[in-house]
Amino acid sequence: MLYTIKEAREALKSGKTTSVELVKAARDTFENDKNSAIPLNAFIEMYEDAVTKAEAADKEIEEAKKAGTLEKLFAEKPLLGLPFANKDNISSKGHKLTCGSKILEGYVAPYNATVIERLEKAGAIPLGRCNQDEFAMGSSTEYSSYGATRNPINREFVSGGSSGGSAAAVSANQALFGIGTETGGSVRLPASYCGIYGLKPTYGVLSRWGVVAYGSSLDQVGILGHTPADIAEPLAAMCGVDMYDDTSADLPAADSLKNLSALSDSDFASLKVAIPKQFLKTEGADADVVKAFADTRKWFESKGAKIEEVDLPILDASIAAYYVIALSEAASNLSRFDGIRYGRRVDNQKGYDELYVDTRSEGFGPEVKRRIIIGNYVLSEQFSGDTYKKGMTVRARIQKEVAAVFEKFDIILCPTCPTAAFKLGSKVDDPLEMYLSDLYTTFVNLARIPSISVPAGKTGKDGMPIGMQFAGPMFSEAKILKIAQAWEEAHKECGIPVK
């Protein structure tokens, strides 16, 4: 893929390229990579109708040129003709939807998710579905029935998860931008590992209609791109209340996302940044991450921002509270995959109980089974009062105390992950070590606030990307994206060049 969204749109307007050329270039890159010695495995499949939709987009552009209405057309459809990567748990009508799991082999989505519908209305073209951890349960995209997705920077390393396929596709220039989902950091984490930008919006800003549920009170669609502007434009197209999702909400200042500008120096001078003392602990964090964090802090100070360390002891409980809530909700949500209504069925003619057990035993992978077992244990009559309800109590307190921080501060600054990407297979048999990858991300989902991961350097030994995150109060997407745009303009060397 040759362009950012802005550059691609200008090339389409001028005739330097066509939508068909953009789609075919992405497909060719995918096919060449698929046949390489070490495939990236970012895309599971390319949608066959992507070229047809690109041809229709090119026809619209040509007709508008002849009629002299080209600018009007792109004002109505700002993403016209631009291909994007879709995660395998977001419904795209007429295409397979498997969540990276054997239990949904062959299942075809009967309708579009709202986010897909709105992107297509803005003219964007779903290019294909991307690999992910099975049912979005993982931090490395190694728990997939399609095999692991590799990191485009170094294919011996993981791409992060669970939206690792979308992140790798964007980082490897196989798509202009990508959409994924996250329950506890699954967009920001792979963005950090792959050296790109990744936004987790405020809970409800992007509709969950048509997105396969993991932890419903935590799940949120997120966006991955080479620049903050590549995130802002799709966000503007997708956001807003959806009649099919009662938890959806409008995003104030959404129009300002269409022509994203960097935060001004005068605004930086009045910016107040909080750094939780709990995130200053260096145990378990790579020295390179600690240094990048210090360098990021210095950059904010050089811009005139006021930085203060704040004490939020409740953050020490965020990982525990997150997994109690997420796994409980996962056990409940995944009970629908029973081999009776849709998806894989393993029927040995022994009765309904055996059909249910055999289907789920063969259909689910080890990590999903682990989380279902823990979730059902937490929800059991004996423990639900002592564990799940306490987890919800801790969550309420996290929301309250984080909201109190934002009464005095504009953003919270912290690393995205304690480490850079790790080597494939190094943590897959150590679930607790894998879960700690979410150390800095889960509080964002529990507090339902937006946060963006930005590329902030590379490790000295392996040259793997490091990410930092800027988290803001609810509905502050425009502001944190403007801060990220200022960061991008000052730190282009941190990201992955668009080739």
Side-chain angles (χ1 to χ4, degrees):
M1 191 57 57
L2 302 174
Y3 308 99
T4 64
I5 287 177
K6 183 178 179 180
E7 290 169 337
R9 182 165 52 235
E10 293 306 313
L12 287 170
K13 287 181 180 179
S14 66
K16 289 182 180 178
T17 191
T18 66
S19 180
V20 169
E21 287 175 350
L22 290 174
V23 169
K24 286 186 175 179
R27 292 170 71 101
D28 289 345
T29 303
F30 165 72
E31 291 295 337
N32 291 336
D33 183 80
K34 187 172 69 172
N35 297 321
S36 66
I38 308 176
L40 188 64
N41 202 26
F43 279 100
I44 300 167
E45 69 164 333
M46 290 286 189
Y47 296 148
E48 291 297 327
D49 59 358
V51 173
T52 302
K53 291 178 180 179
E55 290 171 344
D58 286 335
K59 184 178 180 181
E60 280 191 78
I61 293 170
E62 285 303 311
E63 290 175 352
K65 282 181 179 179
K66 293 176 182 177
T69 57
L70 191 62
E71 293 303 321
K72 180 182 178 182
L73 174 64
F74 275 95
E76 294 172 352
K77 295 183 176 182
L79 302 176
L80 182 62
L82 305 182
F84 68 93
N86 183 35
K87 190 176 179 180
D88 190 30
N89 63 345
I90 302 175
S91 300
S92 181
K93 186 176 180 179
H95 301 126
K96 290 180 181 178
L97 174 73
T98 69
C99 300
S101 178
K102 290 181 180 179
I103 205 164
L104 279 175
E105 275 181 350
Y107 179 73
V108 175
Y111 61 90
N112 276 332
T114 296
V115 290
I116 296 290
E117 193 73 26
R118 290 178 176 176
L119 284 173
E120 290 204 67
K121 185 177 179 181
I125 298 170
L127 188 57
R129 60 189 177 106
C130 288
N131 202 10
Q132 63 168 79
D133 284 301
E134 185 179 6
F135 283 101
M137 297 181 187
S139 302
S140 63
T141 311
E142 292 177 283
Y143 302 120
S144 169
S145 64
Y146 298 100
T149 293
R150 295 174 179 269
N151 194 307
I153 314 304
N154 185 328
R155 300 196 179 197
E156 294 181 4
F157 290 76
V158 300
S159 63
S162 63
S163 304
S166 297
V170 173
S171 179
N173 298 301
Q174 292 184 356
L176 280 168
F177 67 94
I179 57 173
T181 63
E182 68 157 80
T183 309
S186 290
V187 165
R188 288 164 289 152
L189 197 66
S192 173
Y193 286 177
C194 292
I196 58 175
Y197 290 84
L199 175 75
K200 181 267 173 193
T202 302
Y203 183 80
V205 160
L206 297 181
S207 171
R208 292 181 295 111
W209 172 257
V211 179
V212 179
Y214 165 15
S216 303
S217 71
L218 299 162
D219 291 345
Q220 184 61 79
V221 174
I223 311 166
L224 298 133
H226 280 292
T227 69
D230 288 348
I231 289 173
E233 291 204 53
L235 176 61
M238 290 187 287
C239 68
V241 169
D242 175 20
M243 64 177 290
Y244 297 113
D245 180 359
D246 289 341
T247 65
S248 61
D250 282 327
L251 177 61
D255 287 342
S256 67
L257 298 170
K258 296 175 183 177
N259 293 292
L260 189 70
S261 59
L263 195 72
S264 67
D265 288 342
S266 59
D267 286 333
F268 264 105
S270 61
L271 193 72
K272 295 181 179 179
V273 180
I275 297 180
K277 292 179 181 178
Q278 286 65 31
F279 292 160
L280 292 172
K281 301 171 184 176
T282 58
E283 303 91 39
D286 282 356
D288 289 322
V289 173
V290 174
K291 182 182 182 301
F293 188 22
D295 290 344
T296 305
R297 178 174 181 166
K298 289 176 184 176
W299 180 78
F300 273 94
E301 289 172 337
S302 73
K303 298 286 286 183
K306 307 297 186 296
I307 296 181
E308 187 177 327
E309 295 175 10
V310 298
D311 194 20
L312 282 172
I314 193 64
L315 293 183
D316 287 332
S318 60
I319 283 277
Y322 165 76
Y323 276 103
V324 164
I325 295 168
L327 271 55
S328 298
E329 293 181 2
S332 176
N333 279 323
L334 268 62
S335 64
R336 71 193 68 179
F337 301 102
D338 52 14
I340 297 172
R341 285 167 285 191
Y342 44 74
R344 186 186 185 97
R345 174 180 294 191
V346 180
D347 188 358
N348 294 314
Q349 305 297 317
K350 296 180 181 179
Y352 287 118
D353 288 347
E354 287 76 8
L355 183 151
Y356 183 80
V357 171
D358 292 344
T359 296
R360 289 166 68 85
S361 295
E362 291 191 27
F364 289 138
E367 180 61 21
V368 173
K369 290 176 183 176
R370 183 183 297 120
R371 297 193 185 200
I372 290 173
I373 290 169
I374 296 172
N376 280 322
Y377 179 77
V378 169
L379 289 174
S380 64
E381 185 176 353
Q382 182 179 357
F383 294 101
S384 61
D386 292 333
T387 311
Y388 182 71
K389 290 178 182 177
K390 282 184 179 178
M392 294 299 287
T393 300
V394 171
R395 174 190 185 143
R397 186 171 165 185
I398 288 173
Q399 284 184 268
K400 182 179 179 181
E401 294 193 14
V402 169
V405 168
F406 287 126
E407 291 177 3
K408 299 179 181 178
F409 297 91
D410 297 295
I411 65 168
I412 290 175
L413 173 65
C414 64
T416 305
C417 186
T419 69
F422 46 88
K423 287 196 173 182
L424 285 156
S426 63
K427 295 185 180 182
V428 73
D429 294 322
D430 189 349
L432 291 179
E433 184 71 19
M434 188 79 81
Y435 295 168
L436 290 176
S437 299
D438 300 330
L439 181 64
Y440 299 128
T441 55
T442 54
F443 84 96
V444 167
N445 302 76
L446 291 166
R448 296 185 168 180
I449 59 175
S451 180
I452 186 168
S453 177
V454 306
K458 298 178 176 67
T459 59
K461 181 181 178 181
D462 301 308
M464 298 306 292
I466 295 170
M468 292 292 135
Q469 59 175 333
F470 312 152
M474 292 180 74
F475 306 111
S476 65
E477 280 81 352
K479 186 162 193 173
I480 63 173
L481 280 165
K482 287 180 178 181
I483 296 170
Q485 183 62 31
W487 174 270
E488 156 71 11
E489 292 175 6
H491 298 85
K492 291 185 182 295
E493 75 281 358
C494 292
I496 306 303
V498 180
K499 300 176 182 177

